Amino acid sequence: MENTTENLNKLEADESLLGKTQGSASQGLKQIWAVGGGKGGVGKTLVTANFAITLAKAGARVVLVDLDLGGANLHTCLGVEASDKTLTDVFSPNIKSLQELALPTIVPNLSLISGAQDAMNVANLPHAQKQKLLNKLRQLPADYILLDLGAGTSFNTLDFFLAADVGILTVLPEPTSIENAYRFIKSAFYRKLKNIEYLYDARSLIDSTMNRKNELKIKSPADLIRNLETLYPEVGMKIRNSLNDFEMKLVVNQTRTEIDSEVGFGVRNVCKKYFGFNIDYLGCLEYDSAVWQSVRRKRPLILEFPASPLVPTIQKMVGHIVSEQAEKIKRSQLGL
Amino acid sequence: MSQEKKQNYYEILDISLSANAEIIRTSYIRAKNAYNRDSLAAYSLFDPEESKQILEEIEEAYTVLSDSEKRRKYDESHGLLSSDSSYEDYTARDALRAHVAAVMQAPTNQITEHDEMAEAPVSYPAPAPSRPDPSAIDRLQAAQSSLNASVPLKGNYSLTKSHVVDEAMEEKIRNTEPVTGVFLKSIREYRQVRPEEIMDSLKISKNYLAALESDDFSKLPATVFVRGFVIQYTKALKLDHEKLTASYMQFLKSKRP
């Protein structure tokens, strides 16, 4: 126990990774992509697994981390035997690095850290342990680390999402799913604000806005930022910069009509107006019966149905993020 | 709303300062779709009154930005495109941002002109010295090019093949008023484009296509969507899409006010 505390202290002395979205610049091209989306059954695992396989097949070294505790099934779908080595062991003194927990999969270049059958309640992970886990994730010898976050808006889910270089949100073109996604974004937004240092006065303003009743009639986060910029310019600027680094991608899953795929543009426009930040609509995954068949056969879509029209779509989405992130890293190195 | 600073017209339509007319129009339609009554995107964050106000702002923004003279004046009066040389650095940076934004604006599965921009190969200069692991960079660049190569460039998404030119039919296409769905279908058949190809290109369902081509207005979606279909439909057939769409929309309004 003493040993663990000592490790934690040492790690806390490190630069905080939480809420730091520019990590990639200082870490070479190593990137963490996190997939979330509020509601269960909207295709998070579909997206995570197939994005990971696409990257691995393209030659990148990829580690997939299953943080979807209740419904963790990535190990089955990637041909990994249920292992006694899971994420829980990251805090055990016997494990030196996360690499020891990464199990090879049927896909070359792709390994999996399983969260399956886990006693550890990630939803209640204390702050320090979370940082330790994030640090260890960054140290993995991989080019991409993909996190399957699972459903819900617990603080830990939000923190992993916010700490990632790229946060991918999946939704279905259905009212409940969109509502849940907004709840997720809203929670992430306020969580993000809490991680920014600001003046005491600004803090009470932010707190009072979270429950819609406030004297300034602030209705939306975008309103809040505008007010902060006026009342506390320094704080406002800090928040604005921090939100500009907030990379959120959107995938609309199971679309059947053009109207369904248009939902993504609607969400993008509404987010800009309501939250005041940009969300990048990656595109839609059309409804394809191959998806549930591959789920039933417990095999990833890309491996089971390589001819599915979704496969080139997924490749384009992944290619888009990879190119865009490379561009972003380049810009930050040029100091733009 | 207690807005100290309102969104500018570009922000309202969710476009970059360098957006061209086509992007402005597409974004206008999308913005309207986002806040209309049936929209999934807006109802849970904005109440009907707010949505109505936003729709008015969208109209206002489009009225100005779709008119190049009004747009120029608006840009000038809002300092959006500064000609002051002291802002040169700033403008260069904005141009880069605008470019990146334009690239990022094109979602993957949408067939629009943006695709060409989105897929334009971006070349990167040699890696900066601070990068720690050169083999990782090689691997990623290889990955990147392999990912980009695995997807064929869409380029022009027009579906028309070489077809026998029938002057009488061409004449009809030029002069027929009003343009009906049935007439659009006859053009499609004349241009030898199969329904599947249109469905695939426009990403619309068989039912909507059938409804459009048989003038079955009860089965067609909201007017703004139909407009979008018809624009894409006529473009895919390499027709004068503005003229034909305008004529079709008049026809639609007369039948389904």
Side-chain angles (χ1 to χ4, degrees), chain A residues 1-117:
Chain A
M1 201 56 209
E2 262 180 44
N3 198 0
T4 318
T5 321
E6 204 180 284
N7 280 342
L8 287 178
N9 288 339
K10 210 166 74 196
L11 284 163
E12 281 191 327
D14 286 354
E15 213 177 0
S16 164
L17 284 169
L18 219 61
K20 181 165 173 279
T21 51
Q22 290 152 315
S24 53
S26 53
Q27 307 266 338
L29 287 174
K30 187 183 290 183
Q31 284 215 309
I32 298 182
W33 296 5
V35 183
K39 192 167 169 282
V42 294
K44 288 182 288 291
T45 301
L46 170 82
V47 167
T48 327
N50 289 290
F51 274 31
I53 295 169
T54 303
L55 285 164
K57 283 190 138 185
R61 295 171 306 167
V62 184
V63 180
L64 194 47
V65 185
D66 197 344
L67 291 169
D68 185 357
L69 285 178
N73 52 11
L74 276 171
H75 60 286
T76 334
C77 124
L78 291 167
V80 178
E81 301 260 320
S83 158
D84 49 348
K85 280 197 256 171
T86 67
L87 259 186
T88 323
D89 300 308
V90 72
F91 305 113
S92 133
N94 302 329
I95 300 287
K96 295 275 182 301
S97 79
L98 265 183
Q99 181 60 15
E100 295 173 44
L101 303 175
L103 304 166
T105 67
I106 42 174
V107 182
N109 287 334
L110 175 64
S111 51
L112 173 75
I113 297 179
S114 178
Q117 292 110 33

Side-chain angles (χ1 to χ4, degrees), chain A residues 223 226-227 273, chain B residues 1-7 57:
Chain A
D223 258 0
R226 276 188 287 265
N227 273 285
K273 202 163 309 259
Chain B
M1 274 185 245
S2 65
Q3 298 191 351
E4 288 295 326
K5 277 189 285 174
K6 282 178 86 171
Q7 283 189 308
E57 287 169 10

Side-chain angles (χ1 to χ4, degrees), chain B residues 125-191:
Chain B
S130 67
R131 295 185 180 181
D133 176 3
S135 68
I137 287 134
D138 289 347
R139 228 177 7 255
L140 282 178
Q141 283 184 340
Q144 201 174 319
S145 51
S146 121
L147 279 167
N148 289 337
S150 65
V151 185
L153 282 182
K154 255 193 205 87
N156 192 338
Y157 68 92
S158 164
L159 299 170
T160 49
K161 309 164 195 54
S162 51
H163 58 94
V164 183
V165 177
D166 173 354
E167 253 316 313
M169 185 63 188
E170 294 290 346
E171 186 65 22
K172 237 171 126 184
I173 294 174
R174 278 193 291 274
N175 297 321
T176 297
E177 284 277 21
V179 172
T180 64
V182 174
F183 181 59
L184 287 174
K185 183 183 183 187
S186 69
I187 303 178
R188 174 177 63 70
E189 284 168 349
Y190 159 65
R191 296 260 160 116

Side-chain angles (χ1 to χ4, degrees), chain A residues 61 179 182 226 258 280 282, chain B residues 5 41 43 108 139 229:
Chain A
R61 295 171 306 167
E179 281 178 37
Y182 284 147
R226 276 188 287 265
E258 197 193 13
D280 181 18
L282 287 179
Chain B
K5 277 189 285 174
Y43 77 92
T108 321
R139 228 177 7 255
F229 289 172

Side-chain angles (χ1 to χ4, degrees), chain B residues 98-251:
Chain B
H99 170 73
V100 173
V103 170
M104 304 206 310
Q105 220 161 41
T108 321
N109 206 18
Q110 297 298 313
I111 301 190
T112 66
E113 294 66 36
H114 306 215
D115 273 18
E116 270 179 44
M117 275 190 284
E119 288 163 8
V122 185
S123 56
Y124 301 108
S130 67
R131 295 185 180 181
D133 176 3
S135 68
I137 287 134
D138 289 347
R139 228 177 7 255
L140 282 178
Q141 283 184 340
Q144 201 174 319
S145 51
S146 121
L147 279 167
N148 289 337
S150 65
V151 185
L153 282 182
K154 255 193 205 87
N156 192 338
Y157 68 92
S158 164
L159 299 170
T160 49
K161 309 164 195 54
S162 51
H163 58 94
V164 183
V165 177
D166 173 354
E167 253 316 313
M169 185 63 188
E170 294 290 346
E171 186 65 22
K172 237 171 126 184
I173 294 174
R174 278 193 291 274
N175 297 321
T176 297
E177 284 277 21
V179 172
T180 64
V182 174
F183 181 59
L184 287 174
K185 183 183 183 187
S186 69
I187 303 178
R188 174 177 63 70
E189 284 168 349
Y190 159 65
R191 296 260 160 116
Q192 299 186 352
V193 174
R194 289 179 293 115
E196 290 77 13
E197 293 174 286
I198 285 274
M199 276 152 56
D200 192 37
S201 161
L202 270 63
K203 303 282 173 225
I204 72 171
S205 72
K206 204 176 169 179
N207 294 344
Y208 281 144
L209 183 64
L212 178 71
E213 292 191 337
S214 60
D215 295 322
D216 185 350
F217 308 109
S218 63
K219 293 213 179 79
L220 281 174
T223 303
V224 279
F225 294 112
V226 179
R227 192 182 134 87
F229 289 172
V230 176
I231 290 175
Q232 292 190 52
Y233 186 106
T234 46
K235 273 189 168 178
L237 294 176
K238 277 200 170 162
L239 298 164
D240 180 352
H241 61 91
E242 289 190 18
K243 181 166 161 265
L244 269 69
T245 307
S247 168
Y248 177 85
M249 290 315 289
Q250 271 192 345
F251 166 66

